[in-house]
Amino acid sequence: MNEPNALAWDAPSLADAYRGRFRVGAAVNTWNLDPASEACAAILRQFDILTLENESKPMYVQPEEGHFVFDKLDRFAAFGEAHGIDLRGHTLVWHGQVPMWFFEGEGGAPASKDRLLDRMRTHISTVVSRYRGKIATWDVLNEVLRDEGGLRESQWYKIAGRDYIPEAFLAAHEADPDARLLINDYNLESSEAKADTMISLVEELRGEGIPLGGVGLQMHLSLFTDLDLLRKNVHKIADLRKIDPALRLEATELDISCYRFGDTAEDIDWTPEIEADFRAKYTEIFRVLCALADEGALDTVVFWGLSDAVSWLNGFPRRHRNYPLLIGRGWRVKPAFYDVLALAGNKEA
Ligand code: XIL
C-alpha cells in the first residue's frame, strides 16, 4: 500500500513494459475514444490493443436483418489506425447479445438450418470484409462450450448442430484470409472437462483443415480461482501447438473478482488482507502469462474494462461493488499494477 498510486495516464505504461512479450489491452466503448476524455488518456498511455466491450456484437451491428450499423465499428477502426493500436473484433457468433431474427423462420417457426447458416455467413462476411486489414483478430465464436464439457445447446446448435462451428471459420477466412480467427470461452482455466472439450474440438477442426488461429481464454477469474488447476488447464491448451505451432492463445477478458461466483454476500470491504490476496493473485496470473508468452504460445493479454468504476463485474452476476482491475476508481493505478509492471522486467518470472 506504500507505493505512490499515480493516475493511469501518468503511471508507467504496461503496454510498453510488456512490449516484445505480449500486447496489453482493454475492452472499451466508443465514448472512451473521445480525445478530450480521461479514458482516452488512460488508453493511449497504457494499452496497445483494444476490444469493443459491446458495440461490435451482432445485436448492435445487425439489429434487423440486412440493416447493418457500422458507425461505432468505423470509429473504433479509425481510432486504431490513427494511433497505431491493434484491434480485436468481438464477436461474430454468440448465444448472447444476438438478435432473435437470426433464429426465426416463417410464421413463428424456427429458421431452417440452411437459412440460419446463410444468415450467419452473411453477417460474418459483411463485417469481416469491411474491416479487412484493420481488425486483425476476431473472436469468431464465443462461448460455444458447456462448463461440464461438450457443446452448448444454444439456438445455433439446436438449429444447425455442430456445423455452424466450422462454417463460421470458413466464412471469416474467406472474408479476410490474413485475420487471426479465434474460438473464445470462459472457465477454460477452471473446468478440466471444458478445457478437454476445447482441445478435442480444436484438434478436430484443424484435422478438417478449418482455418482456426487459436483459442481465446476469457480469464474471468476470482480470488477463489484454483491456480494449480489454471496452470494445468492453460498449459494443456497451449500444448495444442504440437499439432500446429501457428496456433496462439490470447487472454481476452482478464479480470479478478473478489466474490466467489454466485456469492450472495453483502458488498465486501476492501481490507488489507483482500488487497494482499489480490496482489498475489495478479502476480501469479502474470507469471503464468509470461511463461506462456516465453514459450511462444501467447502474445496478447486484454483486461475486460478500463477501470473498476466501469467494470461489468459491478453488475454481474448481481449488483455489488467489485474491484477486479489494475486501475481503480478515480483512475488511480493500484499496488497490484506496480507488481505486474515489475514482473515485466523479470525474464526469470
Ligand atoms: C459483457 C459486457 O461487459 C457487458 O457490458 C454486457 O452487458 C454483457 O456482456 N463474456 C464475453 C463478453 O464474451 O462479451 C461479456 O461482456 C462478458 C462475458
Side-chain angles (χ1 to χ4, degrees):
M1 294 285 277
N2 298 325
E3 289 95 332
N5 296 120
L7 293 161
W9 45 86
D10 293 331
S13 166
L14 281 179
D16 286 352
Y18 279 93
R19 190 152 300 125
R21 210 168 206 169
F22 46 72
R23 299 175 291 185
V24 182
V28 301
N29 295 279
T30 48
W31 58 85
N32 303 135
L33 307 180
D34 173 354
S37 68
E38 293 180 319
C40 187
I43 289 169
L44 294 178
R45 177 69 168 187
Q46 292 298 337
F47 303 119
D48 56 8
I49 182 158
L50 298 174
T51 307
L52 281 178
E53 183 175 8
N54 286 300
E55 293 155 305
S56 47
K57 293 169 180 171
M59 71 179 280
Y60 298 109
V61 173
Q62 200 185 172
E64 292 156 48
E65 186 161 20
H67 174 58
F68 286 87
V69 181
F70 286 125
D71 51 338
K72 305 288 165 52
L73 260 169
D74 284 354
R75 174 121 196 258
F76 182 61
F79 186 86
E81 215 162 11
H83 297 283
I85 293 184
D86 290 348
L87 304 175
R88 310 185 71 268
H90 176 80
T91 177
L92 298 167
V93 179
W94 188 24
H95 63 274
Q97 294 178 287
V98 56
M100 279 308 124
W101 62 257
F102 268 96
F103 311 108
E104 285 162 6
E106 308 305 335
S112 66
K113 174 172 174 176
D114 283 350
R115 187 140 186 208
L116 177 63
L117 291 182
D118 270 351
R119 286 169 169 168
M120 181 188 79
R121 285 189 211 100
T122 301
H123 184 80
I124 292 175
S125 60
T126 309
V127 179
V128 174
S129 62
R130 185 179 178 97
Y131 301 102
R132 184 173 172 164
K134 294 183 176 157
I135 295 183
T137 305
W138 284 96
D139 293 329
V140 176
L141 294 175
N142 199 31
E143 303 183 352
V144 303
L145 306 186
R146 304 188 319 160
D147 274 13
E148 324 75 87
L151 297 180
R152 180 189 291 273
E153 287 175 20
S154 64
Q155 292 284 83
W156 296 102
Y157 183 83
K158 282 188 188 142
I159 296 175
R162 178 192 183 277
D163 290 351
Y164 78 97
I165 293 175
E167 287 300 322
F169 285 108
L170 290 170
H173 182 69
E174 199 183 315
D176 184 353
D178 298 320
R180 179 186 291 178
L181 306 178
L182 298 187
I183 178 165
N184 192 47
D185 220 316
Y186 65 96
N187 283 0
L188 294 169
E189 315 84 23
S190 58
S191 162
E192 205 162 359
K194 199 167 186 177
D196 287 343
T197 301
M198 181 60 92
I199 291 164
S200 30
L201 180 59
V202 172
E203 284 172 352
E204 280 167 30
L205 292 169
R206 293 301 304 169
E208 292 161 24
I210 298 302
L212 168 138
V215 177
L217 309 165
Q218 290 188 4
M219 297 194 100
H220 291 296
L221 309 177
S222 83
L223 296 182
F224 304 92
T225 296
D226 176 339
L227 287 176
D228 289 332
L229 185 57
L230 177 143
R231 280 189 208 93
K232 183 174 170 194
N233 283 337
V234 299
H235 283 289
K236 211 152 102 171
I237 298 172
D239 279 348
L240 276 169
R241 298 178 67 250
K242 287 186 186 141
I243 58 160
D244 181 353
L247 288 172
R248 286 289 174 280
L249 301 186
E250 300 193 9
T252 55
E253 306 185 12
L254 176 61
D255 46 26
I256 303 186
S257 173
C258 61
Y259 299 90
R260 213 183 269 280
F261 189 77
D263 199 342
T264 55
E266 289 310 297
D267 285 5
I268 66 148
D269 290 327
W270 191 249
T271 60
E273 290 72 28
I274 292 178
E275 171 102 61
D277 198 7
F278 182 79
R279 293 177 66 169
K281 214 69 176 195
Y282 256 110
T283 301
E284 266 321 297
I285 296 303
F286 269 78
R287 275 191 218 282
V288 173
L289 296 171
C290 285
L292 291 169
D294 292 347
E295 70 188 50
L298 173 142
D299 60 9
T300 308
V301 175
V302 177
F303 293 96
W304 203 247
L306 277 175
S307 81
D308 284 352
V310 295
S311 164
W312 74 303
L313 290 174
N314 293 300
F316 179 89
R318 62 184 286 264
R319 291 208 68 78
H320 43 200
R321 192 173 171 87
N322 219 327
Y323 312 82
L325 298 168
L326 295 179
I327 302 175
R329 293 178 172 77
W331 296 109
R332 299 257 164 211
V333 302
K334 302 182 189 175
F337 174 96
Y338 292 101
D339 298 336
V340 165
L341 191 75
L343 210 60
N346 178 7
K347 281 272 178 192
E348 304 310 311

